[in-house]
């Protein structure tokens, strides 16, 4: 612990520099209630929905910013997510509404929606994510032009908190479409579904999205973390029994909301740097670097050296955490989480002062370890905390934020939850 404290000390004096803008939160429900969602759908459309489907948010325990190089990742599904009530139609028209925005309806024709700038602009706001799913499913040959739907969405997953709220909306909508339109070839293959949902994000929305973002909501399992190979898309769920070890996963939402265009720009820059480093090293991707010391000796560019060091060591940390999970040594994963944050802060340079302070304060208050999750420059940190220390860690982080004049953080405790499913 003394070593961790020495390493954490520089966090307290970090300069703000180029950090994300703190913006207002999108309003979400305290809890999604299926009865209330069904009633809202019926009130809006005059008939009950054919069903309700739900996809969770996710927190990446380890493997942050490695999926773009075909690395390893270790996400878990969260208890909060996005629910979609849907009634299929056969007229090609889609009408989307949200519990969060009563009285507002967005209508578009599935066949007329495309990934051009004009096509995207024709569908406003959050409903663009719904249109993206229709476009991607149609482009993959699973949905014809006559397939439409009436939709009502509700969410209890914070938006912009680094917990994959957009991916949850994509996955819930796609699962609802596949089930309600009887697309059995699609609904039975979660790997294919993840690829379609990812295409909706990257090609229609224009948002950076790695393999993990849409795989985790579809393929995670309750009580487990998904050990995912982002190159082969193979994965298996590893037991992550926090309760049995007397531990909690504490989500610390810094309430710093990165602007989407800034996140996209940062991700694109980091991906380009990783690709340039791989070319200089003569490997397909940084996943293929076997001798890190030799690779760093060959690279003279200081920025590329940093990127290589993060990616290669982060992949090793995924294997280390999986090994500790299998050995039921869950308290020991905390130090690996904290080491990951140091690397994301110093080597990949995607943290921000609020995330750094959340990690510092949590570890000093007795958390076993902590790190940022998500793309970075805002959003949330996660901490592994013994049950009896959760209140103290919350208080310490809140006090540290107040002392720095930062916006008060929000806290949630989470257990590994189920992937996407039909709730009724």
């Amino acid at each position: 612990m003394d070593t961790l404290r020495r390493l954490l000390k520089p966090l307290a004096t970090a300069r703000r520099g180029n950090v994300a803008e703190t913006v207002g939160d999108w309003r979400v429900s305290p809890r999604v209630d299926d009865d209330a969602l069904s009633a809202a759908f019926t009130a809006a459309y005059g008939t009950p929905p054919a069903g309700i489907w739900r996809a969770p948010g996710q927190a990446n325990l380890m493997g942050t910013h490695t999926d773009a190089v075909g690395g390893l990742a270790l996400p878990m599904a969260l208890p909060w997510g996005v629910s979609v009530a849907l009634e299929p139609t056969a007229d090609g028209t889609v009408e989307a509404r949200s519990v969060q925005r009563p009285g507002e309806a967005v209508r578009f024709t599935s066949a007329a929606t495309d990934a051009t700038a004009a096509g995207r602009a024709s569908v406003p706001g959050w409903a663009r994510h719904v249109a993206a799913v229709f476009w991607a499913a149609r482009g993959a040959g699973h949905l014809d032009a006559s397939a439409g739907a009436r939709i009502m969405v509700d969410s209890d997953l914070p938006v912009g908190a680094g917990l994959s709220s957009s991916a949850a909306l994509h996955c819930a909508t796609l699962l609802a479409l596949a089930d309600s339109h009887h697309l059995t070839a699609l609904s039975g293959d979660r790997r294919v579904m993840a690829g379609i949902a990812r295409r909706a994000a990257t090609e229609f929305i224009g948002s950076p999205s790695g393999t993990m973002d849409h795989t985790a909501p579809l393929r995670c399992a309750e009580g487990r973390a998904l050990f995912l190979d982002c190159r082969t898309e193979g994965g298996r769920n590893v037991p992550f029994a926090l309760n049995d070890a007397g531990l909690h996963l504490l989500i610390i939402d810094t309430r710093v909301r990165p602007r989407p265009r800034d996140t996209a720009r940062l991700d694109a820059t980091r991906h380009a740097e990783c690709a340039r480093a791989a070319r200089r090293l003569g490997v397909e991707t940084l996943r293929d670097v076997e001798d890190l010391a030799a690779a760093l000796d060959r690279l003279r560019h200081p920025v590329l050296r940093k990127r290589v060091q993060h990616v290669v060591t982060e992949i090793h940390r995924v294997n280390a955490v999986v090994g500790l999970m299998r050995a039921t040594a869950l308290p020991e994963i905390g130090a690996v989480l904290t080491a990951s944050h140091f690397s994301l802060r110093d080597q990949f340079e995607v943290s921000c002062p609020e995330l750094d302070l959340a990690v510092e304060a949590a570890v000093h208050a007795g958390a076993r370890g902590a790190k940022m999750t998500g793309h970075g420059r805002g959003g949330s940190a996660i901490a592994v905390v013994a049950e009896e220390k959760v209140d103290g860690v919350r208080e310490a982080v809140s006090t540290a934020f107040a002392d720095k004049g930062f916006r008060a953080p929000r806290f949630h405790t989470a257990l590994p939850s189920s992937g996407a499913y039909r709730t009724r």
Side-chain angles (χ1 to χ4, degrees):
M1 182 60 72
D2 288 341
T3 300
L4 286 180
R5 293 184 193 282
R6 287 194 299 272
L7 287 167
L8 282 163
K9 189 175 181 180
L11 293 172
T13 58
R15 297 173 63 186
R16 289 199 66 85
N18 181 25
V19 301
E21 176 184 357
T22 302
V23 298
D25 293 329
W26 287 84
R27 183 168 57 87
V28 297
S29 298
R31 181 179 66 87
V32 173
D33 180 270
D34 283 351
D35 289 337
L37 178 55
S38 181
F41 184 101
T42 303
Y45 297 115
T47 58
I52 297 175
W53 292 261
R54 181 169 175 83
Q58 58 99 0
N60 190 24
L61 302 169
M62 194 61 57
T64 304
H65 284 291
T66 66
D67 53 354
V69 301
L72 304 176
L74 190 65
M76 60 167 257
L78 295 170
W80 320 290
V82 176
S83 293
V84 171
L86 184 145
E87 175 70 22
T89 64
D91 60 1
T93 300
V94 180
E95 182 173 342
R97 299 171 181 261
S98 168
V99 169
Q100 277 69 42
R101 297 180 179 274
E104 177 182 298
V106 177
R107 297 176 182 85
F108 60 91
T109 301
S110 175
T113 303
D114 57 43
T116 64
R120 290 194 296 268
S122 68
V123 184
W126 67 270
R128 192 171 299 157
H129 292 278
V130 174
V133 172
F134 275 84
W135 171 83
R138 186 162 45 84
H142 293 285
L143 208 63
D144 60 39
S146 67
R150 292 189 289 268
I151 293 170
M152 180 71 73
V153 173
D154 195 7
S155 174
D156 52 18
L157 180 64
V159 175
L163 306 176
S164 298
S165 57
S166 294
L169 176 56
H170 300 154
C171 292
T173 302
L174 183 58
L175 183 61
L177 282 180
D179 283 358
S180 63
H181 280 282
H182 307 292
L183 309 177
T184 54
L186 179 58
S187 60
D189 194 331
R190 293 291 178 100
R191 187 179 299 192
V192 171
M193 290 183 72
I196 293 172
R198 182 187 180 196
R199 188 176 177 218
T202 57
E203 297 185 33
F204 191 96
I205 300 298
S207 174
S209 177
T211 303
M212 179 193 68
D213 289 349
H214 293 85
T215 298
L218 288 164
R219 294 172 59 186
C220 280
E222 186 174 359
R224 295 171 180 266
L226 178 64
F227 183 25
L228 177 65
D229 186 322
C230 298
R231 172 177 285 171
T232 66
E233 298 183 14
R236 54 188 180 275
N237 280 287
V238 182
F240 187 34
L242 286 167
N243 271 350
D244 292 349
L247 298 171
H248 287 264
L249 190 75
L250 183 65
I251 310 290
I252 306 168
D253 181 359
T254 66
R255 300 174 72 189
V256 175
R257 298 295 185 251
R259 292 172 294 192
R261 65 178 178 273
D262 291 341
T263 298
R265 189 181 301 117
L266 179 64
D267 278 8
T269 300
R270 293 294 178 270
H271 295 172
E273 290 165 347
C274 290
R276 183 153 43 116
R279 287 194 299 270
R280 293 192 181 188
L281 293 171
V283 294
E284 183 179 353
T285 73
L286 296 183
R287 164 83 180 267
D288 301 308
V289 173
E290 295 183 358
D291 188 335
L292 177 59
L296 295 177
D297 283 343
R298 290 176 59 189
L299 286 172
R300 292 292 178 262
H301 195 292
V303 171
L304 299 187
R305 285 170 57 89
K306 287 182 176 182
R307 306 304 182 247
V308 171
Q309 187 167 349
H310 168 72
V311 169
V312 175
T313 58
E314 185 77 354
I315 290 171
H316 288 314
R317 283 188 286 269
V318 175
N319 283 313
V321 172
V322 170
L324 291 168
M325 287 178 171
R326 287 173 172 161
T328 64
L330 296 188
E332 305 310 313
I333 72 173
V336 190
L337 264 65
T338 308
S340 173
H341 186 79
F342 299 151
S343 184
L344 288 160
R345 180 195 69 184
D346 299 332
Q347 307 302 330
F348 219 65
E349 298 179 291
V350 290
S351 188
C352 71
E354 290 85 352
L355 286 168
D356 294 341
L357 186 60
V359 170
E360 174 196 17
V363 173
H364 280 317
R368 301 291 303 193
K371 67 181 287 285
M372 57 161 275
T373 190
H375 291 266
R377 295 296 172 95
S380 299
I382 57 175
V384 173
V385 187
E387 183 176 5
E388 66 274 12
K389 293 189 176 183
V390 169
D391 289 342
V393 169
R394 283 177 172 151
E395 182 178 350
V397 173
S398 295
T399 299
F401 270 53
D403 289 346
K404 287 288 186 180
F406 293 158
R407 194 178 184 192
R410 289 177 177 153
F411 302 92
H412 312 274
T413 55
L415 294 174
S417 301
S418 172
Y421 63 103
R422 181 173 182 165
T423 66
R424 64 165 54 177

